[in-house]
């Protein structure tokens, strides 16, 4: 198997690089090809850098010369720091088998990794406090879908996961096939957010026998016995650690070797401040006694069967406590000299018993890895009725399509708005007759694995309407107009999304061309479709032609609600970026109305006053005033584009990029048209129109002469278009958690990042 590991491999921290090396070497010993995915977070590199680099990843002669001069200066002024930096970079770039460095999640997503398996872990990769919010990269949010995803000994670095991170973890844990963590507390926290089994395994450094480290270690040039003292904190002086070291040195008469330049011990032999990871292992292996507040210093003390005392980490003692307790030596975690026994021999360790306990844990951990690597993918298992929202209350599994509400024969289901403004079904058990129609009708999971092509479909075109007036009225290329005109001319009805008088987005049914005008334009907010489906069914049963346009999930909900095909139904799905919170839109609308002292009459998200590719937000007020603002500068529009206010299911959307759609026809913007079909490029707007089946093709034939067309392909049309679920970041949860506490415009502004090239 070819395996890629992502972890904190670039930190100049002994535990970080050694756990990465250990997992690499263990997997290699099992016969696998292994790479460390060299994800170098700038925030991490900045902690350890020698100087402010001119451009750390650009290779040119001037850059190389500047780097050489900067490094030379530091080598002279801070030789210890320079040596340590050099040793860590050597280990990271040569002892570890790393890929080319990448500093952004976008680079990971673009990389064409050919791994069979990706492993996240170990170390505190799921501790948001270390990465300014949990980083999706460490939850394997990149790479091909078919890659098996495993976490090994991942740590959250805390006893609990903050509530603000729950949705984030729930989303990305869905994609894991096998999950393991390093501590029991982490297992408890993670298990609340996933239905998958969570195992507790050893840190990777404990997977290897001492003989492997003997080949790696470098013995120190110290000829006498000593106590090795290791303080893991970068800047914090640990008074408990220092007091313990002084006491043990006094009792044993042994001198101290330690890793801090900013402290001097009474009986000090040597400072170890500039050493390599190999030397770190060597200093512990050769010590008579080890005193540390470091998890990995404790680990190597155990591997080399040293006498040791572990000072509890002031933030995260759980992983140390769990390890020592599992090995039967919990009495070696001691916080202060006053807790020491009078006779230190009482702390002598029965390493034969420790080794037996280690062997059991090592085999358990190895079994987890072996089973995960050899086992099947589990993340793409079929969705059953028990996986639906009604039983799981999993917000990712509900589209808010109202199909369950509308199908209920006893009206036992109501749609309740949550604190973010999204609606979810609530079942009144007193009215429920347990017919299970709601679960059978729910479209969740039905379209996860559609057929890619059927009988030459889909057929794809770049298109724009021939009439300038229609083109100017539309958000894109004017595809919807000829469709609703055709249906209305036949005495039919059209369904689309409009604003109510209170500026709420809702699905509605129109029977005239004039009424259909309200459906024009993109509406970047979740639209409620309650009671529309039963009305549509009545029309269809009466033989009335119906054109139903909407998001993929709404079309899926309609089809499941109807339970059969109708020749007089034409479904048109809109390529959807995602649906935003109605509550956020409502609060923003109220903010604008307060600012302008007038009611909003219309809210355009895609006004083409400066062209299709440079849209403006245009808000019209009852007073006659107009707000006209570049879309990237509008706070609501920007929050939408940055994926910070969307419905949870949009972050796992099973419809995004479907080659063969749910509806008869798919329409949307043809982004990238200038590259794919330059002859069709037009700042007035160009659309994709994708025909998914024979029914859609027959309908298309009735109005296609009103369009300018260029035959295209799915691959061309979706190169620059929305073809996968939007990414969920911790910022989304942070923003949404504050919508009731901070004025909405200030809140949106706080999380928005305007592009530098905007003037």
């Amino acid at each position: 198997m070819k395996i890629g590991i992502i972890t904190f491999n670039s930190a100049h921290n002994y535990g970080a690089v050694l756990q990465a090396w250990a997992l690499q070497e263990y997997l290699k010993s099992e016969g696998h090809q292994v790479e460390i995915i060299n994800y170098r977070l700038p925030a991490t590199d900045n902690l350890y850098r020698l100087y402010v680099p001119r451009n750390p990843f650009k290779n040119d002669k001037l850059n190389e010369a500047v780097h050489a001069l900067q490094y030379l200066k530091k080598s002279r002024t801070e030789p210890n720091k320079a040596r340590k930096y050099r040793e860590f970079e050597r280990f990271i770039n040569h002892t570890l088998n790393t890929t080319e460095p990448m500093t952004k999640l976008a680079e990971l997503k673009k990389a064409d990794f050919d791994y069979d398996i990706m492993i996240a872990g170990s170390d505190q990769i799921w501790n948001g406090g270390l990465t300014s919010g949990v980083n999706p990269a460490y939850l394997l949010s990149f790479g091909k879908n078919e890659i098996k995803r495993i976490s090994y000994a991942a740590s959250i670095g805390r006893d609990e996961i903050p509530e603000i991170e729950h949705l984030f973890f729930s989303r990305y844990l869905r994609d894991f096939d096998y999950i393991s963590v390093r501590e029991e507390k982490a297992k408890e926290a993670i298990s609340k957010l996933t239905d998958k089994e969570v195992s507790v395994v050893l840190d990777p450094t404990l997977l290897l026998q001492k003989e492997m480290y003997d080949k790696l270690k470098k013995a120190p040039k110290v000829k006498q016995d000593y106590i090795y003292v290791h303080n893991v904190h970068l800047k914090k002086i640990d008074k408990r650690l220092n007091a313990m070291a002084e006491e043990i040195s006094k009792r044993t008469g042994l001198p101290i070797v330690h890793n801090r330049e900013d402290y001097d011990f009474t009986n000090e032999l040597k400072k170890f401040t500039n050493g390599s990871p190999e030397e770190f292992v060597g200093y512990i292996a050769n010590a008579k006694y080890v005193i540390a507040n470091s998890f990995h210093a404790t680990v190597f003390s155990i591997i080399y069967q040293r006498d040791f005392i572990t000072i509890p980490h002031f933030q995260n003692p759980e992983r140390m406590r769990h390890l020592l307790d599992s090995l039967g030596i919990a009495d070696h975690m001691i916080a202060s000299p006053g807790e020491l026994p009078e006779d230190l021999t009482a702390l002598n360790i029965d390493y034969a018993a420790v080794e037996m306990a280690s062997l059991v844990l090592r085999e358990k951990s190895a079994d987890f890895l072996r089973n995960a690597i050899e086992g099947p993918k589990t993340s793409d298992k079929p969705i059953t009725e028990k996986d639906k929202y009604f039983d799981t209350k999993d917000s990712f599994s509900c589209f808010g399509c109202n199909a369950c509400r509308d199908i209920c024969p006893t009206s036992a289901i109501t749609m309740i708005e949550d604190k973010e403004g999204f609606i979810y079904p609530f079942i009144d058990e007193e009215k429920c007759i347990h017919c299970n129609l709601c679960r059978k009708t729910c479209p969740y999971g039905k379209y996860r694995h559609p057929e890619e092509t059927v009988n030459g479909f889909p057929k794809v075109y770049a298109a724009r309407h021939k009439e300038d007036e229609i083109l100017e009225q539309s958000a894109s290329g004017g595809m919807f107009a000829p469709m609703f005109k055709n249906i209305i001319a036949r005495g039919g009805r059209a369904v689309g999304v409009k604003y109510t008088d209170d500026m709420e987005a809702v699905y509605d049914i129109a029977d005239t061309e004039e009424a259909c005008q309200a459906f024009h334009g993109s509406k970047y907010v979740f639209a409620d479709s309650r009671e529309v489906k039963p009305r549509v069914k009545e029309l269809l049963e009466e033989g009335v032609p119906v054109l139903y346009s909407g998001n993929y999930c709404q079309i899926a909900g309609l089809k499941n609600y109807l339970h059969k095909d109708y020749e007089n139904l034409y479904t048109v799905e809109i390529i959807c970026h995602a649906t935003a919170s109605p509550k956020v839109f409502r609060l923003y609308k109220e903010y604008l109305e307060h600012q302008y002292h007038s009611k909003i009459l219309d809210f355009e998200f895609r006004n083409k006053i400066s062209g299709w590719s440079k849209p403006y937000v245009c808000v019209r007020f009852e007073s006659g005033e107009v707000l006209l603002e570049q879309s990237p500068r509008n706070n609501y529009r920007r929050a939408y584009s940055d994926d910070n206010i969307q419905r949870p299911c949009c972050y796992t959307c099973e419809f995004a990029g479907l080659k063969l759609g749910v509806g008869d026809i798919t329409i949307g913007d043809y982004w990238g048209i200038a590259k794919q079909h330059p002859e069709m490029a037009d700042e007035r707007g160009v659309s994709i129109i994708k025909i998914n089946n024979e029914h859609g093709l027959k309908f298309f034939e009735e109005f296609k002469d009103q369009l300018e067309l260029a035959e295209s392909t799915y691959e061309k049309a979706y190169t620059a278009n929305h073809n996968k679920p939007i990414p969920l970041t911790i910022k989304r949860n942070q923003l949404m958690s504050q919508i009731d506490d901070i004025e909405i415009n200030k809140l949106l502004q706080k999380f928005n990042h305007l592009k530098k090239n905007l003037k």
Side-chain angles (χ1 to χ4, degrees), residues 289-302:
Y289 225 110
V290 178
I291 302 171
N293 55 18
S294 157
F295 176 81
H296 284 101
T298 300
V299 165
F300 285 102
S301 299
I302 294 168

Side-chain angles (χ1 to χ4, degrees), residues 259-444:
N259 72 319
R260 299 304 289 255
E261 285 187 349
D262 55 359
Y263 194 84
D264 297 312
F265 285 97
T266 303
N267 186 14
E268 183 171 305
L269 175 65
K270 179 181 175 62
K271 294 184 191 292
F272 169 62
T273 60
N274 62 359
S276 66
E278 295 92 337
E279 290 170 307
F280 168 76
V281 177
Y283 268 104
I284 293 176
N286 283 30
K288 190 72 175 176
Y289 225 110
V290 178
I291 302 171
N293 55 18
S294 157
F295 176 81
H296 284 101
T298 300
V299 165
F300 285 102
S301 299
I302 294 168
I303 289 172
Y304 278 97
Q305 301 189 356
R306 303 294 88 191
D307 287 326
F308 73 92
I309 291 171
T310 295
I311 309 298
H313 190 282
F314 77 98
Q315 281 185 323
N316 181 31
E318 174 58 28
R319 58 178 175 157
M320 297 173 172
R321 185 177 292 113
H322 173 70
L323 173 64
L324 297 181
D325 188 55
S326 64
L327 296 176
I329 48 177
D331 57 347
H332 279 255
M333 179 180 263
I334 304 174
S336 68
E339 299 175 29
L340 286 169
E342 289 187 13
D343 184 359
L344 288 181
T345 60
L347 291 175
N348 288 350
I349 299 171
D350 179 1
Y351 268 111
V354 170
E355 184 54 35
M356 287 296 293
S358 295
L359 181 62
V360 172
L361 295 173
R362 193 180 301 128
E363 282 302 311
K364 179 184 174 184
S365 300
D367 284 345
F368 168 83
L369 268 176
R370 196 172 299 114
N371 292 336
I373 289 170
E374 296 175 0
K377 274 185 69 66
T378 64
S379 59
D380 56 357
K381 66 178 182 179
I383 298 296
T384 67
E385 289 183 7
K386 291 182 179 180
D387 297 314
K388 303 295 177 77
Y389 177 83
F390 314 100
D391 297 308
T392 66
K393 297 300 182 286
D394 174 13
S395 59
F396 293 105
S397 67
C398 177
F399 308 130
C401 69
N402 280 286
C404 59
R405 174 194 179 278
D406 292 337
I407 201 70
C408 182
T410 62
S411 300
I413 297 177
T414 53
M415 303 298 285
I416 305 297
E417 186 175 285
D418 72 353
K419 60 185 178 181
E420 295 183 343
F422 297 111
I423 56 171
Y424 294 91
F426 171 78
I427 299 176
D428 184 340
E429 292 297 335
E430 291 185 4
K431 294 182 178 179
C432 180
I433 59 174
H434 304 287
C435 63
N436 220 30
L437 272 175
C438 53
R439 290 172 177 80
K440 293 176 181 176
T441 302
C442 175
Y444 172 65

Side-chain angles (χ1 to χ4, degrees), residues 4-46:
I5 301 169
I6 189 166
T7 184
F8 290 157
N9 66 282
S10 67
H12 289 197
N13 171 286
Y14 296 115
V17 296
L18 286 167
Q19 61 84 20
W21 179 82
L23 186 55
Q24 169 187 287
E25 294 303 303
Y26 175 78
L27 292 170
K28 283 169 59 179
S29 72
E30 292 288 299
H32 304 292
Q33 292 178 264
V34 187
E35 280 186 340
I36 306 292
I37 299 168
N38 198 9
Y39 185 41
R40 302 198 62 151
L41 289 174
T44 300
D45 280 0
N46 289 343

